[in-house]
Amino acid sequence: MGDTELELSPAQLEELQKSPSASSTSTTSSLSLPSSPSSGPRPLTSSSPSTSEGLPTSSPPLDVISEGVGELSLVIDTEVAKKACQEVLQKVKFLKADGEVSSASSEPVLVNGTAHPLSTDGGKPPKISEEEAEPVKNVRRRQKNNSSKQSWLLRLFESKLFDISMGISYLYNSKEPGVQAYIGNRLFSFRNEEVDFYLPQLLNMYIHMDEDVGDAIKPYVVHRCRQSINFSLQCAWLLGAYSSDMHISTQRHSRGTKLRKLILSDELKPSSQRIRREVPQPPPSCPPPLHHGQGMSEHSLSPSKRTHQRSKSDATISISLSSNLKRTASNPKVETSQDEELSSSSDSLELEAGTPVRLTPQREFIKSLMGIGKRLATLPTKEQKTQRLISELSLLNHKLPARVWLPTAAFDHHVVRVPHTQAVVLNSKDKAPYLIYVEVLECENFETSSVPVRIPETQIRSTRSVENLPNCGISPDQRASSFSTVPNYDNDDEAWSVDDIGELQVELPEIHTNSCDNISQFSVDSITSQESKEPIFIAAGDIRRRLSEQLAHTPTTFKRDPEDPSAVALKEPWQEKVRRIREGSPYGHLPNWRLLSVIVKCGDDLRQELLAYQVLKQLQIIWEQERVPLWIKPYKILVISSDSGMIEPVVNAVSIHQVKKQSQLSLLDYFRQEHGNYNTEEFLTAQRNFVQSCAGYCLICYLLQVKDRHNGNILLDSEGHIIHIDFGFILSSSPRNLGFETSAFKLTSEFVDVMGGLDGDMFNYYKMLMLQGLIAARKHMEKVVQIVEIMQQGSQLPCFHGSSTIRNLKERFHMNLTEEQLQVLVEQMVDGSMRSITTKLYDGFQYLTNGIM
Amino acid sequence: MAQIEKKAGLLRRTSSSKKPLKEKVVLMYDEIFAKEDPTKNNPRFWDELFLMKVNLEYLEGKLESLDGDEVMKIKDNINSLFHHCVQALGEEHQIKVVNALQTLCALFRGVHQKNKSATGFDIINMLMGFDKAELRMKELMESLDSLLCGDGSESLKSLCLKLLLCLVTVTDNISQNTILEYVMINSIFEAILRILSDVSSRAQHGYDAVVLLALLVNYRKYESVNPYIVKLSIVDDEPTLDGMGMVIHHALTEYNRQYKDKEEENQGGFFSTLSSMRNFTECLWFTCESQSHPEIEMATTPATPVPASPTTPLGTTPPSLDMMNNPELPLDPNLQTSNLLITFLKYSSIVMQDTKDEHRLNSARLCLIILTCIAEDQYADAFLHDDNMNFRVNLHRMPMRHRKKAADKSIPSRPLVCAVLDLMVEFIITHMMKEFPMDLYVRCVQIIHKLICYQKKCRIRMHYTWRELWSALINLLKFLLSNETILLAKHNIFQLALQVVNLFNMFITYGDTFLPTPSSYDELYYEIIRMHQVFENLYCMVLRVSTNAGQWKEPASKVTHALVNVRAIINHFNPKIESYAAVNHISQLSEDQVLEVVRSNYDTLTLKLQDGLDQFERYSEQPREAGFFKELVRSISLNVRKNVSLSTMSQDVLLKEFSSIS
């Protein structure tokens, strides 16, 4: 079995090497025939997946399995590969499949191709040697001149030190197509998450750099797109966003646009479909692949049938979603009938490849969220926006659950419900960003796990009526318990259980058992009074006292302000909110229920935010690695197009502006109100958190030249950390070029007060942290600069305005200074910022223009 | 008879048929009304009949002209007409279906018209014959069901609904309509729901469907198990419920809009002169009445199922329908600031403005009953109190001499419960009149009580200006006192007084659980102390009545007991305030000063805890409201019958087009 494979792959190699001249035409061919990346133009890349990838191959297929990203059919594919390499032929069922597969090795599928060589050499060391041999040969063949240099480079590439960051760097800097192609192949060997971090860089290079780089990157991207819907969409969105700066005429024909179209056309399906479509392609000289292809497709179709249908019907539902949204309600009957129709016809549909349903539900979901944002923007007042938002979301709810998910989340899930009453419109002058909470059910894999069944909102009610509906998935006791086990919080207004209303009626003794202790104080009294007929007397003073005490004990909430609806929503502790929404949700009883939140931005370009996120994340990793206890919170960004996207909200945090406006206290007094007096454990912890985060963000602000630092853009979380948001003005751009904010970062006297004053230990600690952080960042400057530098390619973003952006960025790391000099520098910056009246001036300016305190 | 023929002639001329003096269809009708079997001479008689355009008036007139005995003589022919009508419903030819439907309409109506006194069984016998009745009706209902559910012509569906409406309303008292027994057995409930859940069909037939449903659920609902009630109570399909809500919402909105139009229209003419103020309202209502009477009726009719359905004969209260009033979903994003409940509250505020005439009094009563159901339902309450769902509700306020109209255009948007409370306060202060609507007041105070019980239970602290409520309630007591003699002749005012006083007791003893701030508790005391005269007078009055033997002894003494805390407060603080005034040499204390005294003297005041303040009797339709609803259903029936007959005739026009197409 292994032999046949080996026979075939060199043959293939030869064939490919024979026609290197075909490379010019190949771009198009590879586009139209995405299924066969190895038939691609460049001999190096095309051959390497099957030959030179000994080391890498072990990881990608395994990854696929462990993550379960692939579709079912794909899993089978990789499983077969795995079996081949490990010679595990236990299951009869697979034996059969394997027999067929063995003949399929000629089939130029990437995964298979890369996997098969493994089977020849079992252990790892031989793998490396073989891998070494092949690419070197290839590389040498192309670049005979600098072969010596190449080998040094190769040794670096093969060393353990070589990580994705270096890979990206070489991919960007190297002018050698061979090196680029090699790295393109090496991408397969990195873990998906590692590469995902650099996805914006990869795609930007793909769009804006020369053909060689693009060709090196493409196979990897295509491969990943086949594996994952999520990855496909991310790519499509990013490609769209980063192509938008090109001239409109060039944009249309650019590589990026083409790849985007290809992804969105949903051609890039997992193997089963791919093989089928490929069937006519292999020359008639090799019938086995054809035979195998059919076998495979049949084989994979039957187990995955259900999922396919499922996703298809999902898609149609959401297709109708957008159209139905305009009307007012939907008719589920219509939908189900559609379902049935489709399920009957879907088999035939499926065989004709190319109905773009794989990506559709999610795209429609995102589209309707964006549509809401656009419509909100037309309304004049915040109040109207809020109401409109709520009603729009309630309609969206009709279409859920569906095979849709929030791309900002860290785990696989399906969205089941949007608790529409919880959504809030955020503060913004002319756009209408809004925050929604989303109930999801965690699942193994959102592509293959079945979509949860809809539980109607009204189901809770029905438990009250005598005629109970056929099982709603929750038995009444289950629900009762879920209601009653909720810890009863003092000023809790949700603690009633389903039948609580009964207690309001005459069966008084019930109150004893059910209602929570301190509410019932009176009720108990009233019972006893009823029983004993002895009048109970209470002091009016007690009532009054209780009233004021209870109000005092309520955790400080913000007062509702129709002009600032988000303040209240954001102030509520996240855990509280989760509990509250969970109780109100028909899905809340399910163990895999989770609450997520997301900010939907429409009309805003989030590409800079994404860049900032990447830099922050990179610095966070660096500081962690170097054990500098700086605290920053990069929040996830999803770029959907050049003017829309989503942001992962920072939970348990409100802006300093809101803090000050609502509490009417200085920051220090607010800290004392929230965390207790000086010297209490809580206050000290909060203070330390404040200092660590402040130092972190001061460095960020300095390095990235983050501007527009007013109190509305700085959040304070419940643990005392500050978190900077809104990286709209970074690097070379500053708001309206007013020349404000000349200081290195924002450090107001209020901040210093919280740190315990200029002479306090914590202030020294703050400066020390800054120094350590700067030293650590300097050590890894390249990693940071490279992120920015690659994104500058072809970009019109204001942060890259001018020619010296990167040079200035590098200069801010002060590579030439000694540590002592750096210390002086930090001192100077802190002093400068302290004395800076521009910061104060800017705050005043913001207050006058935007009403931000 | 001559008249009928003349009509037939006229019709002939308009339809420009040439040959005989009488329309052919009229001749054929005559044949049916002869005793002979019409197929004797013409075996294809029935086929031809349904190809003929129906002459409703003639057919109905003919039937009406016969009395019971005469009809019995031609019973066979009528039975077979009915039979063939039902058969024709299954025809492919839509013209036949249309004609059959209309003929059935005429049959039902004609037979009933003449035989009002006849028992239901006689009528069934006349129409279908006893032996065949069950089968015929089953066939009829099945055909209607399939017509309604099918994707045939919309006007056909509309005609089906008209026929059903016609059938349901042939008797004044729906429960006496024995034919409906068959409609109960052969349910078309699903078909109605289907219409309501579908967006396009809802727009066209939603109103008829809801009215039909409203009437059907009222069929013998107290005497037997009405399957429509049972089914309705377990509907949980959101689109359908939303659809129902939409229809009602639409009808109410339409009514509100028309009211507003009228109001604005009239403003120009009358508003300028002060003297015409009173005329203005009257005139307004008069025009409303005369011009838009059908619309008013329209608005009230669909609202009925709401209170009607929660009350199954068993007294168990499946509340799934009052959720209609409580759509958690504001239904139409294009009407953003509105949802059904808001519209309903606006409608209520209009209807409640003037309860002088019987019709509107009933509407107001209905509104209050619906609000009672809402206030009792904890899910509805949760919705009302949801802090995240703020709405701005512009209630209509009665123009009154001592206050400016529409002074407050900029009401903040608040949870809906505030609007409900506002509406109640508005009602309380605007209806203290000689023709005292006692039962409305009782309901009104009950609604407030239920809402407060919910707030206490769930410890919800509404930021509501409770002061307005307190002063309204005190004014109500004052009114009761000053009109004691007149009112006592008709009503038990002690019951209402007790409820009001107990509301105060709720605030006094449980205020800590639901008042928004400590100072609002102080304000409560301030208000009581300020108006202490009212409470003292009330106490004197109830004490007097309770010491005299008589029918009011018992209820009056209850009020004396309930007043104990209020009196304790007055007796405790008044001396303190007086001494404060004396010490500080102030004759009139400012509010702040009084509050100061109150605040510093709480601790020496002892209150007595009263039993059962937070308990209430749940609403039940039977037996208390049964009479009201019977009357309501009757008036709706009459109205629908009137309107249906009109629209059926105009249907002819539509059908003409229809026939030319097919």
Side-chain angles (χ1 to χ4, degrees), chain A residues 189 344 589:
Chain A
S189 70
S344 59
H589 62 285

Side-chain angles (χ1 to χ4, degrees), chain A residues 22-182:
Chain A
S23 61
S24 56
T25 57
S26 60
T27 0
T28 46
S29 75
S30 71
L31 275 171
S32 58
L33 307 170
S35 45
S36 55
S38 58
S39 70
R42 308 125 289 124
L44 200 77
T45 24
S46 56
S47 61
S48 45
S50 54
T51 53
S52 67
E53 285 230 70
L55 179 92
T57 42
S58 60
S59 47
L62 284 175
D63 271 353
V64 171
I65 292 159
S66 62
E67 287 171 45
V69 191
E71 281 239 358
L72 196 53
S73 50
L74 187 87
V75 172
I76 289 166
D77 219 12
T78 50
E79 213 155 276
V80 167
K82 200 172 116 195
K83 258 180 289 136
C85 75
Q86 293 177 346
E87 300 180 2
V88 185
L89 306 164
Q90 290 148 334
K91 292 178 189 171
V92 188
K93 186 176 92 186
F94 286 115
L95 256 173
K96 229 179 177 180
D98 208 44
E100 290 167 357
V101 168
S102 63
S103 59
S105 50
S106 70
E107 165 215 348
V109 176
L110 248 170
V111 183
N112 275 354
T114 50
H116 283 306
L118 268 177
S119 62
T120 53
D121 32 44
K124 279 196 173 178
K127 232 189 297 168
I128 288 165
S129 65
E130 176 180 301
E131 186 232 17
E132 217 171 337
E134 286 282 353
V136 169
K137 240 197 285 175
N138 286 331
V139 168
R140 272 184 196 152
R141 219 167 280 158
R142 292 280 294 220
Q143 285 94 30
K144 282 162 199 158
N145 320 345
N146 38 17
S147 59
S148 60
K149 183 185 161 197
Q150 207 67 55
S151 69
W152 279 108
L153 203 56
L154 203 63
R155 279 176 70 176
L156 170 69
F157 289 166
E158 273 142 28
S159 75
K160 277 182 185 167
L161 284 172
F162 185 71
D163 62 3
I164 178 71
S165 161
M166 292 165 84
I168 296 290
S169 170
Y170 274 97
L171 194 57
Y172 177 67
N173 290 315
S174 169
K175 298 285 171 278
E176 310 281 355
V179 173
Q180 291 166 344
Y182 173 80

Side-chain angles (χ1 to χ4, degrees), chain A residues 30-38 42 74 108 110-111 184 187-188 199 202-203 206 214-229 231-232 235 239 258-260 262-263 267-271 274 358:
Chain A
S30 71
L31 275 171
S32 58
L33 307 170
S35 45
S36 55
S38 58
R42 308 125 289 124
L74 187 87
L110 248 170
V111 183
L187 289 176
F188 287 91
L199 188 58
L202 277 177
L203 294 177
Y206 181 80
D215 290 345
I217 296 167
K218 190 173 175 189
Y220 180 78
V221 173
V222 168
H223 169 69
R224 288 287 307 278
C225 282
R226 283 192 203 295
Q227 284 185 342
S228 157
I229 300 176
F231 187 87
S232 305
C235 281
L239 285 170
K258 277 178 189 159
L259 181 57
R260 179 165 180 270
L262 173 70
I263 294 171
E267 296 275 295
L268 302 179
K269 286 217 167 73
S271 48
R274 188 157 34 112
R358 210 166 65 109

Side-chain angles (χ1 to χ4, degrees), chain B residues 51-80:
Chain B
L51 287 170
M52 232 52 75
K53 191 167 128 18
V54 180
N55 187 335
L56 271 179
E57 272 177 75
Y58 184 82
L59 185 58
E60 258 181 76
K62 193 87 181 167
L63 277 168
E64 278 171 37
S65 67
L66 302 174
D67 64 20
D69 292 337
E70 286 170 305
V71 175
M72 284 314 282
K73 279 176 203 155
I74 55 159
K75 171 177 166 279
D76 285 342
N77 276 355
I78 294 200
N79 284 354
S80 87

Side-chain angles (χ1 to χ4, degrees), chain A residues 387 498 503 538 544-545, chain B residues 378 390 457 522 603 607 611:
Chain A
Q387 281 168 357
V498 176
E503 292 165 30
I538 39 168
R544 171 69 157 67
R545 217 165 293 128
Chain B
Q378 60 170 337
N390 289 317
K457 173 84 203 151
D522 305 338
D603 281 324
L607 301 169
D611 296 332

Side-chain angles (χ1 to χ4, degrees), chain B residues 540-648:
Chain B
C540 290
M541 193 267 274
V542 291
L543 198 62
R544 170 168 49 79
V545 176
S546 65
T547 47
N548 301 334
Q551 58 163 331
W552 305 122
K553 182 180 165 66
E554 186 64 26
S557 74
K558 272 189 193 161
V559 182
T560 51
H561 292 303
L563 274 168
V564 73
N565 281 334
V566 174
R567 287 180 56 239
I569 290 167
I570 293 166
N571 294 336
H572 178 76
F573 287 107
N574 263 346
K576 302 266 182 330
I577 289 165
E578 271 158 33
S579 71
Y580 181 91
V583 168
N584 294 294
H585 307 290
I586 314 165
S587 55
Q588 276 290 319
L589 266 69
S590 69
E591 184 176 334
D592 287 338
Q593 286 165 327
V594 175
L595 286 173
E596 181 54 42
V597 176
V598 167
R599 245 175 249 128
S600 50
N601 287 291
Y602 275 124
D603 281 324
T604 43
L605 172 67
T606 310
L607 301 169
K608 184 172 173 285
L609 198 70
Q610 317 223 349
D611 296 332
L613 286 178
D614 53 350
Q615 293 155 34
F616 54 80
E617 205 185 327
R618 303 220 65 184
Y619 167 82
S620 82
E621 186 174 325
Q622 213 188 4
R624 205 171 295 167
E625 320 289 351
F628 168 67
F629 278 107
K630 268 187 182 149
E631 269 315 300
L632 193 64
V633 173
R634 179 187 288 264
S635 78
I636 294 166
S637 279
L638 289 172
N639 206 283
V640 171
R641 193 195 309 162
K642 209 169 69 198
N643 290 335
V644 162
S645 62
L646 271 170
S647 45
T648 321

Side-chain angles (χ1 to χ4, degrees), chain A residues 674-727:
Chain A
E674 292 286 298
H675 304 287
N677 227 324
Y678 313 112
N679 301 328
T680 61
E681 185 74 31
E682 288 78 16
F683 180 86
L684 291 174
T685 310
Q687 191 187 36
R688 196 179 57 245
N689 288 340
F690 182 82
V691 169
Q692 288 173 349
S693 58
C694 215
Y697 277 105
C698 283
L699 276 181
I700 299 276
C701 287
Y702 169 64
L703 293 175
L704 271 186
Q705 290 292 297
V706 184
K707 297 299 179 196
D708 195 27
R709 291 301 90 192
H710 54 74
N711 285 336
N713 279 342
I714 304 174
L715 307 186
L716 187 66
D717 78 0
S718 57
E719 293 171 330
H721 297 117
I722 62 160
I723 299 143
H724 281 245
I725 57 164
D726 189 350
F727 296 93

